Structures are given as structure tokens and as C-alpha cells.
Amino acid sequence: MRDARVGKVLWEQQWPEDWKTQETVASIPKEVMKCREVSRELNFSSAEPIDKFTMIQRVFVHEVCTEEWNFDFGFVIPGSTNSWQSTIEAADEQDMLEPEMLSGNVLIETSFLNGDTLINKSVVRIFYV
């Protein structure tokens, strides 16, 4: 995760082997919440071909789904490593919630699919430190 305006890396994480089977915790610096734009990058590999690779990401705040994004990647070449980047623009400052209010109360659920078939789902709880 980077401050999109200056390119400074603010947070990155290598996921553990069991990230697919249990809720994982991410400790993200509070300074992310002060950025006007944040860019994020996801790197992924597949040993098998994927015809219609899709990622659905849901953000829950205090157990209520507040955002949902659907991303279609299309065909993934077997044996390839790929990256995907997106930029997120912050809400107006008066509409932003404080990191202390959000810390531990944000859950990001990411589902990876091939067409309608679920490949994997991960759940990450966000703490702002």
C-alpha cells in the first residue's frame, strides 16, 4: 500500500501459508488514513489456467457491509505470476472516521473466483497502529 501522490510505501505484507483458512490480522500504519489517495498492489500466481478470474472484495465496518468491489481479470495463464494495482481516493476529510474508531472493527473479505466457482476466500481484520 502506497501514498499514491508521492509513491511512498506505507505498508506491505507477505501472507502466511494458513491465510486461506482463518481470519488474518493486518496492522496498518494510521498515516494511511491521512492520504488523499492510496494505491494498492496484489500479486498472485496460478499453476492452473483460470478462464474468468474475478475478485470480489467486501468491506465490513462494525459487521455491516459498507463497500463492495467486483474486479474482472479475465484469463490467467497457467504458471504465471501477475500483479494488479488500484488507486483509492479518500472521502472528504470531514467524512473520514478516526483510525481509533475503525481499528479492529474493519474486516475485508476477499473472494477469488473462476466464473461462478469459488477458488478461495480470505478474511483480514484491520488494525491501525
Side-chain angles (χ1 to χ4, degrees):
M1 191 173 287
R2 297 175 185 268
D3 179 330
R5 294 203 173 172
V6 298
K8 178 183 174 190
V9 175
L10 301 172
W11 176 81
E12 62 184 328
Q13 182 165 332
Q14 296 292 325
W15 298 103
E17 287 293 320
D18 61 356
W19 73 275
K20 304 173 199 173
T21 58
Q22 65 181 11
E23 183 179 294
T24 304
V25 170
S27 297
I28 298 176
K30 290 179 190 179
E31 69 181 296
V32 165
M33 299 293 287
K34 297 198 182 307
C35 296
R36 291 300 310 140
E37 294 177 340
V38 173
S39 67
R40 61 185 183 165
E41 182 175 4
L42 171 70
N43 295 301
F44 60 94
S45 300
S46 177
E48 303 294 324
I50 301 174
D51 295 321
K52 296 179 182 178
F53 187 46
T54 301
M55 181 177 80
I56 300 172
Q57 195 162 66
R58 294 182 181 98
V59 178
F60 294 85
V61 178
H62 296 284
E63 300 180 27
V64 175
C65 185
T66 57
E67 297 178 52
E68 181 173 326
W69 299 311
N70 297 306
F71 304 100
D72 293 317
F73 295 96
F75 182 72
V76 176
I77 299 169
S80 65
T81 298
N82 305 276
S83 65
W84 167 78
Q85 291 181 321
S86 64
T87 301
I88 301 166
E89 188 175 316
D92 290 334
E93 192 171 334
Q94 70 270 13
D95 296 329
M96 295 289 288
L97 297 174
E98 293 297 319
E100 295 77 17
M101 175 188 271
L102 294 172
S103 190
N105 295 308
V106 175
L107 210 61
I108 299 176
E109 175 190 276
T110 307
S111 299
F112 301 95
L113 301 105
N114 184 3
D116 293 330
T117 304
L118 182 66
I119 298 170
N120 185 36
K121 182 165 87 172
S122 69
V123 178
V124 179
R125 186 169 299 277
I126 306 297
F127 287 89
Y128 294 98
V129 294

